[in-house]
Amino acid sequence: MDSASILQHLVNGAMLGMMYALVAVGFTLFFGVLDVIKFSHGDVLMLGAFTALSAALGLSAAGIEQPLLQLALMLVAGIALTGLVGALVGRYLVLPLKSAPALNTLLITLMFGTALREAVRVFYPQGSNPKPFPRLLPDDALQLGALSLRADSLLLLALGALVIIATHWLIGRTKLGLAIRAVAQDEETAKIMGINYTKIVLITFALGSALAALAGIINGLYYNEINFSMGLNLGVIGFAAAIVGGLGNFYGAIIGGFLFAALQTIGAVAIPFGSSYKDVFAFAVVIALMAWKPTGLIAEQEAQRV
Amino acid sequence: MSAPLTVTSLTAGYDQADVLHDVNLRAQAGQITCLLGANGSGKTTLIRTILNLTAPRAGRITLAQDDITGKPTHEIVAAGIACIPEGRKVFAKSTVEENLRLGAYAEEDKSAVIARMQRVFDIFPRLNERRTQLAGTMSGGEQAMVSIGRGLMAAPKVLLIDEPSLGLSPLFVQENFKVIQRINEQGVTVFLVEQNVRQTLKIAHYGYVLAQGRVVAEGNAAQLRRDEQVQAAYFG
């Protein structure tokens, strides 16, 4: 294999890893503050991508065609609406079930995710067909010696990395992050500190959902296509990444996301006809990892929970 | 700044059972008021109910002139009540400094937070040495310092202290009681819940005795020391 295609695989793998990591961080945040698994997470991601697409179509219809302006407004619309939906899910579906068994939360969010997915399929114009996603970033090739890279890939990678670093800073270095970590460790003592528990939980849900929306939009910009069921696969992979990394652990979620993407890439490259089997290979390795380290690569007891 | 905390005809409990029955008491402004009682008498439930971690069934709780009954916990804390909870409850996976900053969570003024942290370090120099250590990796005595320091960070009008002597060596208990006295001398109203009668009555101005969820005796320290109920409750 020549170096150009190795580079292509690397960029592709990094891009996937970043999307998975963004989704996995959401799972880990929700589990951190509330000990719940929110199974609508993948479909919330899809909602973010479709909101951004609608915003783009609306802006084009209104004659606003400037790509960067359009992109900025798409990001704002997708992230804001999805964050709001995330907070509403927290407020009306998850918090009321707080004293019920965790399975009930899992079920109600699973049903909500299905409803969301079906609603987009049925009510979005021709929602069951894949939708072209606008190509808004410059896609000229950057020459690095013999190698060439597309500028849009690099920009998307940089955007994702920046958001992950910013989230890490938010959790680790700000007063809000301090409160989120306190709630994650001990709800009652956090309340005694004067922390508004409900508010922090809802902000966390908004934050996690906004990250998913960003992953969805990056997905659309990278592949130039989205569809109503895109959240299924990304949700399951993000969940697997969070579990493999150690649910509740920020670094674990990032590592898990990139690990899964690396496995897919290796599967696609190393196995003959591998690209059809890359998911089978990646999930098989994840299953083996879970059998080996049942509590995740970074056990929650030893590491800082978000 | 200090303020009195008044509990009037308070009834509270969990599920079907009432734990507190018609409790009346008052922590006078600027004094140390103690609540004595055996295990299971409802002391911790009273603290929880004052903070609305357990909802009151009936009765009223007021801080100075403010009725705080049934308000969300964070608003009660913002009104000026801080708590050093039973079992210390430090945030084990956060550093000493983060624990202290959480204690001052309601305070928006950063310079006030820094000044308060300095005062805590003056009382517990050890915490200054260990400010970047995770609280969970410290000894029980050091965790008690974190917990007390965290309570002070709120600069409360009323400080609720739940069993500070629990699980500590006698030497540490003595130290902690001295610190509580110092805090009180700076004008903070202290409401101290304890099983350790002798030590507590040494520093308390006034006290109540709780048995099976009812106040069965009250008086100043000298009166309580002689009181039959106290004798019965503790010295059998």
Side-chain angles (χ1 to χ4, degrees), chain A residues 172-176 178-179 181-183 185-186 188-197 200 300-301 303-305, chain B residues 48 51 53 73-74 77 81-83 85 89-94 98-99 101-108 134 150:
Chain A
R173 291 271 175 266
T174 66
K175 193 172 176 183
L176 173 63
L178 190 64
R181 283 181 290 137
V183 167
Q185 289 184 54
D186 183 342
E188 267 196 356
T189 310
K191 286 181 181 169
I192 294 174
M193 299 298 109
I195 292 170
N196 183 341
Y197 172 78
I200 294 297
E300 197 200 300
Q301 291 78 2
Q304 174 96 344
R305 181 163 165 180
Chain B
R48 291 179 57 87
L51 292 165
L53 292 169
T73 304
H74 65 271
V77 173
I81 298 184
C83 173
K89 303 276 171 62
V90 298
F91 293 101
K93 294 167 192 162
S94 298
E98 286 173 336
N99 268 276
R101 277 169 52 208
L102 281 164
Y105 186 79
E107 178 60 62
E108 299 292 341
L134 296 187
R150 198 177 57 180

Side-chain angles (χ1 to χ4, degrees), chain B residues 47-69:
Chain B
I47 298 259
R48 291 179 57 87
T49 310
I50 291 171
L51 292 165
N52 198 19
L53 292 169
T54 297
R57 298 239 162 100
R60 238 159 65 90
I61 303 160
T62 53
L63 174 66
Q65 262 54 262
D66 293 349
D67 188 344
I68 57 167
T69 321

Side-chain angles (χ1 to χ4, degrees), chain A residues 224-239:
Chain A
N224 302 120
E225 187 182 286
I226 59 174
N227 67 69
F228 74 99
S229 63
M230 68 191 287
L232 277 177
N233 213 23
L234 280 165
V236 171
I237 292 174
F239 182 44

